Structure formats: structure tokens, C-alpha cells
Amino acid sequence: MTNWDVLIVGAGQAGCAAAWDLAAAGLRVAVISRPLSRGKPCAGGVTEKAVARYRFSIAPVVREAVTSLAVSHPSSPVRHLSTATPFCVMTERAELDAFCCGQAEQQGAVFHETGGLRGIEQRADYVRIETREGAVFSAPWLIAADGANSAVARLLGERHPAGAMAIEGCVPRENVRDYPPMTLDFGVIRGGYGWLFPKGDHVNVGLYVWRHGVAAPERSTLQRYCRARLGAEAEQVAGYPLGTWLPHTRLANGRVLFVGDAAGCTEVLLGEGIYGAVLSGQLAAQAILGERPDVLYPRALAGWREELQQVSRLGALFYGVLPVSSRLLQGRLGSTLVNGFSQGLTLGQCKRQWRGAQSLKL
């Protein structure tokens, strides 16, 4: 058994963000993860606010920079919203994760592949985990970055509310009838939207539902949407939950800190999770470099928790009054959002900017 300063379970965006900062600070960091070759279902859109948080450029894995968004609803014509500078970049999630892992490795983080966890034990001054293969790791602190279905949370007996749901696939470009701009189609599924994300050699296509139980984003529904919009069926289809429960859960359990989807850091309106993942990973690392990480980390993430509480209320209102809200998104509200995103603003900051503009008009 090798002793480490910090263990990180999960090598997605939250885990890699934490690993980079901790290893760069000189700590011995072990990242325990399932094989990266398995990939993680994710639409792969990275907003400018997320791009700005990375400690390094992700340009080598950017497929397309996005300056135009098509927004539609069956009750109204398609509206195209444009910005002078990109508000989002398209990546392939497996490529993005592998690239970020490589960056963390360059700082000194050590990655270990596993088929899963067998057990976890917390003591007064350390936490110990055992993998299914029998490997044992221990450290004073552990960061759980293993997604919405967190094995660490399950082994610790943590419970959280159901989050959002999504299903996605891809269509090779040669099979696509008309190569689309980035598109959000509201009204194609109850309580959510369909998306088309162009990525050069293929189009990522998916369905998002803002709350589990509102509707089922099923394979048949996705294929029907895909045939209608792209003239072909999706390949490599996968469904997955999103962690949207940060406003309703705790962030620390003893010597374990939860980050990313494991902490519920995804915003519920559009299901964007990469910013919250990188932010929470960095703040958890910062807390571990200080005194009492279990106290410092929740305090540091309090601002994002408050924003997600506001966005959660907004999401309930937005999806409760479709198609009225989608028409707002096709108008000045949508323009405010994409322009705000291009400036690196969060959704909450964009909302406040829009409200300020409405007050000035009055």
C-alpha cells in the first residue's frame, strides 16, 4: 500500500482540475479511475466561462468554436442568435478528458485504472479505499469526482435527490442530411429539449429532461428526433443522469469532499456541467491546501450553490410555461444569454444582466 497526500476517485473534468492544482502545489496525488477508453457520455460543449477556468489551453481538443445558436419550438419559427466572439467551443468528451489527464500527469499526478471500488474506510487522520482488483490506497483526504452515480457516495451511505436526465448519440457527417449549427429544440420532449452539436466529422445529438420523472428520454424518442432533424439514426447511443442536486446536499463527509456531478454541480436549466465540475475541483484542491478542508470547501462553493438554487427555481418556471419561455429565449433573453456567455458570464450573471436591461427599459 502506497501512502499519498490526496486520493481522487474519477478522472473527469472535476477530478483532473483538482489533480492539476494539487500536483502543481507539490502534493503526492493518486487518481483512481475507470479506463478512460470507456469515455463518458457528455455533449461536450464547453462555455467560455469554463474555458477561462482551465490552467492550460484546451485548444488542441477543440472541434469547433461556436458563434451562432439556433433556438426553436414547434409553435414558433427558428431564431438564430449570433455573437461576435465564441460563446462556446465543441469538444469530444473522451478527447477532452484524456487531454486534461495528460496535463495533470505533467504536473506529477499519478493515474491508476480500476474496474471499480470494493470498499472505503475513514479513520481520524486518513481515508482508505480498496479497488475491486485488491489495490489499496490511503491518504489524509479523498476527493470524490466519480459522477452522478458516485461509488464513493454509495459506499458512504450518502443519499441525494434525483437529478436531470439525458440521452445522446452521434451521427457521422456523411450521413447527415444538412450539417446544422448548434441547435436547441424546445418542445420535442416534455420538460426539456433536443440538441444538435456540430463537431466537424459528426453531429452530437441528444435529449435533455430537467428533472427525473418529468419525461423519459428514451432511445426510440432520440432516434425519432434524429431522423426528423438529420435524416439518419444516431450511433453509440447512451443515457445518463446529471448531478443537479447541489442546493440540497452536503459537500463533505468526514475526510471526503464531493465535486462535479458527484456533488450535484450541474446547472438544471440547460444541463451545463463542465464549468461546475472544473470550479468545484479547483476549490476542493484549494481547500485541501489550507486548514480544515471539510469546512473551507463548502464555504468556498457557497456562491455557486446559491446560484444553482436560483437557476433551479428558474428551471422550474421555464419548463413550466413552455412555449412562452422558449419565445423569450428566442428574443432578447436569448441574445443576452449568448452574449453574456461569450463574455465568460455565468447563467445567473446573464439573468441579472437581462433583468437590469428590462428595468432600464421600464
Side-chain angles (χ1 to χ4, degrees):
M1 178 177 70
T2 302
N3 291 322
W4 303 86
D5 294 319
V6 184
L7 304 179
I8 300 174
V9 178
Q13 293 302 288
C16 286
W20 196 100
D21 281 10
L22 291 165
L27 273 64
R28 295 169 299 168
V29 180
V31 183
I32 298 93
S33 171
R34 291 180 180 273
L36 290 178
S37 58
R38 291 183 53 174
K40 175 181 178 178
C42 174
V46 185
T47 57
E48 282 301 305
K49 66 180 183 291
V51 170
R53 287 216 66 94
Y54 287 101
R55 310 300 191 200
F56 43 83
S57 170
I58 63 168
V61 290
V62 169
R63 294 292 191 99
E64 291 196 15
V66 181
T67 58
S68 178
L69 172 67
V71 181
S72 78
H73 187 277
S75 67
S76 57
V78 177
R79 172 76 190 279
H80 292 270
L81 307 172
S82 299
T83 55
T85 57
F87 60 86
C88 175
V89 295
M90 291 297 166
T91 67
E92 189 63 22
R93 183 57 189 267
E95 295 174 355
L96 178 62
D97 284 350
F99 179 76
C100 292
C101 285
Q103 295 295 311
E105 282 184 311
Q106 289 180 22
Q107 297 301 315
V110 180
F111 286 74
H112 302 266
E113 288 190 350
T114 179
L117 299 185
R118 178 181 295 168
I120 183 168
E121 176 188 12
Q122 292 203 69
R123 294 295 180 91
D125 56 352
Y126 72 89
V127 58
R128 174 182 178 274
I129 62 171
E130 182 179 358
T131 69
R132 289 178 182 172
E133 296 79 18
V136 176
F137 301 84
S138 69
W141 295 97
L142 183 148
I143 294 176
D146 52 342
N149 291 324
S150 170
V152 173
R154 185 177 67 253
L155 289 169
L156 290 174
E158 290 286 335
R159 298 289 184 268
H160 54 71
M165 296 292 295
I167 187 170
E168 66 160 7
C170 66
V171 180
R173 185 163 183 168
E174 60 267 24
N175 296 346
V176 173
R177 183 173 53 215
D178 295 303
Y179 190 66
M182 180 179 178
T183 302
L184 301 181
D185 288 319
F186 292 92
V188 299
I189 187 168
R190 187 162 60 90
Y193 64 87
W195 77 76
L196 305 173
F197 283 9
K199 298 189 179 182
D201 62 355
H202 72 279
V203 177
N204 178 275
V205 56
L207 299 172
Y208 171 79
V209 176
W210 81 279
R211 190 178 65 192
H212 180 78
V214 170
E218 297 176 343
R219 178 185 292 262
S220 59
T221 311
L222 174 67
Q223 296 293 20
R224 186 163 57 250
Y225 170 64
C226 196
R227 288 192 297 269
R229 297 295 272 111
L230 300 176
E233 292 203 343
E235 303 173 1
Q236 303 173 37
V237 174
Y240 52 98
L242 290 86
T244 55
W245 48 77
L246 177 60
H248 313 291
T249 192
R250 61 178 179 170
L251 293 168
N253 179 323
R255 292 186 166 272
V256 176
L257 308 181
F258 296 96
V259 298
D261 263 354
C265 287
T266 295
E267 61 87 355
V268 76
L269 182 65
L270 298 176
E272 194 278 313
I274 291 180
Y275 174 79
V278 176
L279 172 68
S280 60
Q282 291 173 346
L283 292 180
Q286 186 179 89
I288 286 174
L289 294 172
E291 298 289 335
R292 291 297 308 274
D294 55 326
V295 175
L296 290 179
Y297 172 54
R299 287 178 182 171
L301 203 59
W304 187 237
R305 183 194 291 268
E306 182 180 351
E307 172 145 338
L308 292 191
Q309 286 177 328
Q310 296 174 9
V311 173
S312 181
R313 291 192 290 269
L314 178 62
L317 175 63
F318 182 91
Y319 289 109
V321 295
L322 283 173
V324 174
S325 51
S326 67
R327 286 199 289 270
L328 283 173
L329 196 60
Q330 289 178 305
R332 188 176 296 275
L333 174 59
S335 295
T336 300
L337 287 178
V338 294
N339 280 291
F341 287 164
S342 73
Q343 298 166 30
L345 301 182
T346 66
L347 186 59
Q349 290 169 331
C350 291
K351 185 186 75 169
R352 290 189 288 275
Q353 189 179 77
W354 180 73
R355 280 184 169 175
Q358 296 302 105
S359 298
L360 288 175
K361 285 174 63 180
L362 294 174

